[in-house]
Amino acid sequence: MGDQAKPGWWARWRKVILFGTPLSAALIFFSAGIVFWGGFNTAMEATNTLPFCISCHEMENTVYQEYKTTIHYQNRTGVRATCSDCHVPDPWVHKMVRKVQASRELYGKVVGTIDTPEKFEAKRLELAKRVWKTMKATDSRECRNCHTLESMAPEYQRPRARKQHLNAIKTGQTCIDCHKGIAHNSPRHLLTEEELEELEKPDMAFARDIPETFLASLKKIETLEAEAAAKAEADAKAAQDAVKARIAAAVAKREEEVRAELAGTVDTSSGAGASGGADALAPVDWDSVDSKNITLFYPGQASFEWVQTGKDHGGARPFTKAGDRCSTCHAKEVKDMGAKIVSGSKAEETPIPGKPGHVDMTVQATHDADNLYLRFQWQQSAHAPVPFIDGGKLDPANETKIAVMIAGKDIKYAEQAGCWVTCHHDSRYMPHAPKDDQLKAVDFGDRVDVSDGIRKYLAQSRTKVEVKGRRGKIRGGWDKLRDKAEIDEARAAGQFMDLLRYRSGETAENGSIQEDRIMADGVALEAAGTLDGDIWTVVMKRPLKTGEAGDVDLEAGQQYVVGFAIHDDYASARFHHVSLEFTLGLDDPSAEINVQGQ
């Protein structure tokens, strides 16, 4: 027989078996798989692009237009986060699940579920809640694809933000808890308080150790801020010395008149008397008394109920659940808060054009064996007429007033919020202030004076105070007064706010706040003020222990919560500037206001 031709290489490879499969078939399937996977992946990536996501007018005309105004679209670093970065998971399995879920959205497109702006707005909350729930369950996984704790530098964050981020790391809060509406208009305000509480509560499963890089950055900014605070104190001291020099010059110029005034009885009820009148009230060497710089800000209609409501105030949970003080988050941003509120952009329905957002004030505190002495100095504000009051002055009789509030015992939230516990959503000039006919319909007898509307009161003097305003309820509790016997018992136990007030055109007032604001002329309080140029100086003198109802007795070894308010430029009611809460103690360096003994 002749020689048979040997089979070619292809014929030989076709007969090779690998794992029970001809190698040729395996090669074919492998090549086809590459082609299929390449095509499939290309298609997947095409559906993850911004042009694809906004290819339907439902998206292009609504959320895309909102997104274009945010930092995720355009920013100084030139890094853009597109739709898929936030809405499509990176892990392959989760990505496939999300793509399957997207078929529901295709169905919605076909049947026209949100094909008009009106339909979209009607569905916005439902759609947002679906996204929020998903992101909450995954510890905001898509956010953390870009934003990691290790790369976060609190030194570039606002004080409140760095505090909240630190708190979130420890307690297990996640990005979406606070950052709803970061790329689109947020319907968060449409959630009920119960929904908000459930959606934003911390989850310890998400808690983690604080990165060393975070702590290092935090230490760096705290050091810089301490240095800046020290410089500000020095600058304020220099400014105070300049004021003293101006006053001294005025005193020298009018030496004979001043001697006559000092030789007589000081009028403790008058206001802008001659130079030296305020300091003549207290035999104190003020040069030897340390001063503290305090910034007071315009609060608008941010009531005590507003502070406790998550839909109004992002810090409501730390305040009500964690026991944070107001100053914990806001001490370093009071000027920004005041500017925002006074502009009418938040918590203010009747802005006053030209009214300053804050007032810088220095406080000095000292005592002798019997009395407390307080000295305040601040620059007078330029006149900004109130547009909704004839004549533009809310209190024409008093160009300025300054008040000090000292918290008594067992007042809920007083240690955290200070005098804020007395300001309610139903007080005069506030959103839920009762109308005249409503006030006349309630008989308080002589216990509450409603002739000028509802004034300050403590929540514990009411049987119920509506805080959240659920289902459209009026917030506050002005008409739900406790029995007189309960009020008297609470007052005897010290459950009230002590109020001291200087008025430039009328007598000084000493009073207290419980079921109402009760004031008495000149009882256990002397106060005098001087306006020198544009600098106000006010001195108050009060016995450490008065023995009178409504006065908090001051003694060594105790700290007291205090707050301050300035009604400058003929202001009245809530149109003042207020401080955050401070601690005050006699000869106590640990207190924020140390009352030094003479």
Side-chain angles (χ1 to χ4, degrees), residues 10 38 82 130 133 135 145 196 217 262 264 292 316-317 328 363 368 391 413 546 596:
W10 175 246
T82 62
R130 193 180 303 160
K133 183 178 179 181
M135 296 190 78
N145 286 337
L196 200 60
S217 179
L262 295 180
K292 182 174 181 64
R317 172 180 284 277
T328 301
V363 179
D368 55 25
Y413 295 128
T546 70
Q596 301 166 277

Side-chain angles (χ1 to χ4, degrees), residues 314-445:
R317 172 180 284 277
F319 178 81
T320 59
K321 302 295 183 183
D324 281 3
R325 297 170 61 188
C326 294
S327 57
T328 301
C329 288
H330 298 301
K332 297 175 182 177
E333 59 179 25
V334 290
K335 293 182 181 180
D336 291 339
M337 290 193 303
K340 186 172 186 178
I341 296 174
V342 80
S343 70
S345 63
K346 186 172 186 177
E348 178 55 271
E349 297 177 356
T350 54
I352 300 173
K355 191 174 183 70
H358 72 275
V359 172
D360 290 320
M361 177 179 75
T362 61
V363 179
Q364 292 171 280
T366 186
H367 74 92
D368 55 25
D370 301 312
N371 296 301
L372 166 72
Y373 304 97
L374 297 170
R375 186 176 189 248
F376 309 94
Q377 291 185 308
W378 72 94
Q379 186 173 22
Q380 183 183 41
S381 300
H383 182 48
V386 178
F388 48 86
I389 293 292
D390 288 342
K393 298 177 180 178
L394 282 159
D395 184 3
N398 295 290
E399 184 174 8
T400 196
K401 300 189 291 284
I402 181 166
V404 181
M405 208 177 291
I406 309 172
K409 299 177 181 178
D410 300 322
I411 301 172
K412 188 176 182 181
Y413 295 128
E415 291 187 359
Q416 298 167 239
C419 58
W420 228 275
V421 298
T422 67
C423 178
H424 296 278
H425 222 64
D426 51 8
S427 300
R428 54 184 178 160
Y429 296 111
M430 297 295 278
H432 291 167
K435 307 296 184 184
D436 288 343
D437 57 340
Q438 294 174 297
L439 293 172
K440 292 175 182 178
V442 179
D443 183 13
F444 287 119

Side-chain angles (χ1 to χ4, degrees), residues 56-63 104-105 107-124 126-127 130:
C56 61
H57 75 88
E58 288 88 346
M59 295 294 101
E60 183 178 14
N61 296 337
T62 53
V63 290
R104 180 179 179 182
E105 295 160 17
Y107 172 78
K109 166 68 177 175
V110 172
V111 299
T113 304
I114 54 172
D115 60 349
T116 68
E118 293 74 20
K119 288 181 181 180
F120 180 84
E121 287 302 326
K123 285 275 189 179
R124 183 188 283 268
E126 177 187 338
L127 297 171
R130 193 180 303 160

